[in-house]
Amino acid sequence: MSTIDLAVIGGSGLYKFPGLQNAERLAVDTPYGAASGDVVLGDFAGKRLAFLARHGESHTLPPHRVNYRANLWALHSLGARRVIGVNAVGGIRSDMGPRVIVVPDQLIDYTHGRATSYCDVEGAEVKHIDFSEPYTESLRRPLLAAARAAGIAVIDGGCYGATQGPRLETRAEIARMKRDGCDLVGMTGMPEAALARELTLEYACLALVANFAAGCGDEAEISIEEIFAHLAAATAEVPRILAAMLKS
């Protein structure tokens, strides 16, 4: 098996990885059921990259129905040791508006009813992972440096609040999250980050702001069309950032 230098889990708007050469598709069996789709392996920026669309390549899986355990297990079983989760988010903090890119350093989990651990399986070893720092600093730092080297503005740090979805949040919910210290809101940040830690994977989040969260911008109502337009603009920068990181 060839070495995988980096694995990327694509969120909303990123269903195929642009610029991937010599691509091959692998359907990976896991003890936790089916992953969101095939893992696509290919060459990118002189390195070997694995890509998996979190919601499926046709966006058929809502956030609470994603098989996060199978996704991480599939990448790990293929030899991936570094994983970047690309996540579409809403901005709560005033400087985290549409099209801004953030590399968060903390998170709060508001999700419920999801399979959150590999320890849930009967007979599995119970692991009490240290999750004080949910993102791996040894991966966050190169990601930030790469964005800057590529001339792409990023914000270093911020707290990601993970909500259940697929609906967007109420103004009251966002106000609560702001009081809790959240700077961003998304629906797929957990349990992905915790599962990566259980597998001892290096894991970092590249958060793409698609809209201001409810009550945080000037809009009376959030437009889905505008969300995807902003998301497309931010997503276009992802290959440049990762190319710079792999070349460094």
Side-chain angles (χ1 to χ4, degrees):
M1 184 184 300
S2 59
T3 300
I4 294 175
D5 297 287
L6 183 68
V8 178
I9 300 176
S12 297
L14 185 58
Y15 310 114
K16 296 181 180 178
F17 196 87
L20 202 60
Q21 303 294 316
N22 305 313
E24 58 177 317
R25 304 174 67 93
L26 294 177
V28 183
D29 293 326
T30 86
Y32 306 97
S36 295
D38 293 345
V39 178
V40 182
L41 298 178
D43 300 317
F44 180 74
K47 303 290 185 179
R48 195 71 170 156
L49 185 143
F51 177 78
L52 177 62
R54 186 186 288 113
H55 297 282
E57 292 181 2
S58 299
H59 200 115
T60 53
L61 295 168
H64 63 295
R65 295 286 299 276
V66 172
N67 191 339
Y68 297 93
R69 290 195 300 187
N71 287 352
L72 271 299
W73 186 272
L75 295 171
H76 180 266
S77 69
L78 291 174
R81 294 297 175 264
R82 300 193 300 166
V83 179
I84 300 290
V86 181
N87 298 81
V89 299
I92 297 175
R93 210 168 82 188
S94 60
D95 60 340
M96 295 183 180
R99 307 193 182 196
V100 169
I101 300 175
V102 185
V103 181
D105 61 349
Q106 276 297 327
L107 64 80
I108 298 176
D109 187 7
Y110 299 93
T111 65
H112 53 84
R114 302 182 182 189
T116 60
S117 173
Y118 293 107
C119 302
D120 291 344
V121 180
E122 185 175 352
E125 177 188 356
V126 177
K127 295 181 179 179
H128 299 285
I129 57 170
D130 178 6
F131 207 50
S132 305
E133 305 296 332
Y135 303 109
T136 312
E137 199 65 13
S138 59
L139 190 54
R140 283 188 71 254
R141 288 295 155 197
L143 190 58
L144 288 162
R148 290 163 183 157
I152 298 170
V154 294
I155 293 179
D156 176 6
C159 182
Y160 179 124
T163 58
Q164 183 70 358
R167 67 168 178 84
L168 299 179
E169 301 74 27
T170 67
R171 288 174 180 263
E173 287 169 332
I174 293 299
R176 171 200 173 192
M177 294 176 72
K178 188 174 183 178
R179 291 193 297 272
D180 286 349
C182 294
D183 303 300
L184 301 164
V185 57
M187 303 173 188
T188 54
M190 283 292 285
E192 194 170 277
L195 293 167
R197 183 62 52 85
E198 286 190 0
L199 292 176
T200 67
L201 295 168
E202 292 186 63
Y203 180 86
C205 170
L206 195 58
L208 313 179
V209 182
N211 60 284
F212 270 118
C216 296
D218 297 330
E219 300 84 1
E221 185 175 334
I222 297 173
S223 163
I224 299 300
E225 290 76 15
E226 287 185 3
I227 284 178
F228 280 99
H230 293 316
L231 195 53
T235 299
E237 306 285 25
V238 172
R240 290 177 56 205
I241 294 173
L242 298 186
M245 188 178 81
L246 289 170
K247 290 176 180 176
S248 65

